[in-house]
């Protein structure tokens, strides 16, 4: 059975990240001709072209895009194995931040998968509001961040899309709002994007409303909604047991929301890029 050569993979990753064969050769301390030869051998072993070559540099073919994540993982495991037999196990700190609205019941599964596939990672996880997480990522306090984006919000950095979800007005099943002169709202604090979106849509719809309960997190918000304290705004995957989509002429239509991953910079350790690929695949 044939296998992939680690030196060839290392040259491939270096060239892909540097954007040219000459720049990649400098990263692996080889001549340009030697790296070109390694890439040719790797493409021969893979049975497909991996790089698109042009005067502007190189880019990844579809096959190259599929291979690069595996290449980073194999290189990281090779380094881990070497350090392990030398009793010098290397650990990489990974600071992961996840929006409170995003599949909170699946976070444990993600952490278990990261632990199995990246045992060298030392994870620190924070769950919170997207605005604070995006700011923390921009300031270097988070390596990766899963954030919610609404139609009115745009991040200042490039993001990797994860999924889109519908937003709904949500309440306890059977909650009767007909006798309420002002709609009782159950929301997170004002710096929450869904708080701002809900209030903005109600004002534009000329629906009288009041804040009946302000929760500190999505779990508390869900509990308050189940208790019948009012109506709130949730993405589809956050509508758990004991909650139902609320329908009333007083409730305006809501847009979709999008979840995206703020990734580490290109020069971050390979372990963090591997974690990025795992998080993206897990939540896709």
């Amino acid at each position: 059975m044939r296998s992939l050569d680690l030196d060839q993979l290392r040259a491939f990753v270096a060239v892909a990240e540097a954007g040219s064969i000459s720049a990649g050769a400098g990263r692996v301390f080889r001549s340009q001709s030697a790296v070109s030869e390694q890439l040719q051998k790797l493409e021969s072993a893979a049975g497909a072209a991996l790089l698109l070559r042009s005067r502007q540099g190189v880019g990844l073919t579809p096959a190259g895009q599929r291979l690069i994540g595996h290449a980073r993982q194999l290189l990281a495991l090779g380094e881990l194995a070497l350090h392990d037999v030398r009793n010098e196990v290397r650990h990489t700190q990974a600071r992961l931040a996840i929006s409170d609205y995003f599949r909170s019941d699946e976070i444990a599964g993600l952490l278990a998968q990261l632990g199995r596939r990246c045992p060298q990672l030392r994870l620190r996880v924070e769950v919170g509001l997207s605005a604070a997480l995006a700011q923390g990522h921009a300031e270097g306090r988070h390596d990766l961040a899963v954030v919610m984006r609404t139609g009115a919000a745009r991040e200042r950095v490039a993001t990797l899309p994860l999924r889109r979800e519908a937003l709904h007005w949500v309440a306890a099943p059977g909650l009767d709002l007909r006798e309420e002169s002002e709609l009782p709202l159950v929301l997170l604090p004002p710096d929450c994007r869904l708080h701002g979106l809900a209030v903005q849509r109600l004002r534009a719809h000329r629906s009288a409303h009041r804040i009946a309960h302000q929760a500190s997190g999505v779990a508390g918000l869900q509990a308050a909604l189940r208790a019948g304290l009012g109506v709130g705004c949730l993405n589809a995957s956050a509508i758990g047991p004991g909650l139902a989509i609320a329908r009333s002429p007083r409730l305006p239509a809501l847009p979709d929301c999008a979840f995206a991953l703020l990734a580490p910079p290109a020069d971050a350790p390979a372990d963090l890029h591997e974690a990025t690929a795992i998080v993206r695949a897990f939540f896709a």
Side-chain angles (χ1 to χ4, degrees):
M1 180 179 293
R2 301 185 66 180
S3 60
L4 297 175
D5 182 271
L6 290 183
D7 285 336
Q8 295 170 9
L9 290 175
R10 188 172 292 106
F12 168 64
V13 171
V15 168
E17 292 180 348
S20 72
I21 294 178
S22 59
R27 292 190 176 193
V28 294
F29 306 103
R30 302 291 296 273
S31 68
Q32 184 172 338
S33 59
V35 168
S36 294
E37 183 179 354
Q38 285 183 312
L39 294 176
Q40 290 173 0
K41 290 180 178 178
L42 180 62
E43 288 181 323
S44 177
L50 302 174
L51 296 170
L52 294 169
R53 298 164 175 82
S54 68
R55 293 182 179 179
Q56 288 72 39
V58 297
L60 293 175
T61 65
Q65 291 173 350
R66 292 193 298 272
L67 177 61
I68 194 162
H70 297 298
R72 288 177 174 138
Q73 184 177 358
L74 288 169
L75 293 173
L77 287 174
E79 292 178 11
L80 179 63
L82 182 59
H83 285 293
D84 190 22
V85 297
R86 291 178 175 176
N87 295 319
E88 299 174 357
V89 177
R90 170 186 50 79
H91 298 304
T92 299
Q93 300 296 321
R95 300 162 299 175
L96 172 63
I98 303 178
S99 165
D100 202 7
Y101 284 103
F102 195 62
R103 294 186 177 184
S104 57
D105 58 337
E106 296 185 24
I107 292 177
L110 169 65
L111 299 183
Q113 188 169 135
L114 283 168
R116 288 193 303 270
R117 295 181 58 181
C118 304
Q120 73 279 15
L121 288 182
R122 289 296 177 263
L123 281 170
R124 189 183 74 192
V125 181
E126 178 179 334
V127 177
L129 299 181
S130 290
L133 302 186
Q135 181 177 352
H137 181 272
E139 294 174 354
R141 289 183 280 110
H142 306 311
D143 298 306
L144 301 91
V146 176
V147 297
M148 174 190 284
R149 304 171 71 185
T150 62
R154 294 289 184 271
E155 305 299 339
R156 296 181 179 180
V157 299
T159 61
L160 301 173
L162 295 177
R163 62 182 282 121
R164 298 190 66 85
E165 290 191 25
L167 293 176
H168 297 286
W169 296 106
V170 179
L175 179 67
D176 191 352
L177 300 172
R178 290 175 295 181
E179 301 300 321
E180 297 281 353
S181 59
E182 295 179 320
L183 290 170
L185 298 183
V186 177
L187 300 171
L188 294 191
D191 54 349
C192 168
R193 287 176 173 168
L194 293 194
H195 180 123
L197 176 66
V199 171
Q200 178 188 38
R201 289 296 173 109
L202 289 170
R203 286 174 178 169
H205 198 63
R206 299 184 182 278
S207 294
H209 56 276
R210 61 183 174 85
I211 305 297
H213 181 84
Q214 183 169 288
S216 59
V218 172
L221 186 149
Q222 293 167 327
L225 290 172
R226 282 194 292 267
L229 299 185
V231 61
C233 176
L234 285 175
N235 52 300
S237 66
I239 303 175
L243 297 175
I245 296 175
R247 306 188 187 280
S248 167
R250 301 164 66 186
L251 295 172
L254 293 170
D256 289 347
C257 67
F259 289 95
L261 177 64
L262 306 183
D267 60 353
D271 296 336
L272 293 181
H273 289 291
E274 181 185 357
T276 298
I278 293 172
V279 172
R280 193 177 185 187
F282 185 89
F283 283 134

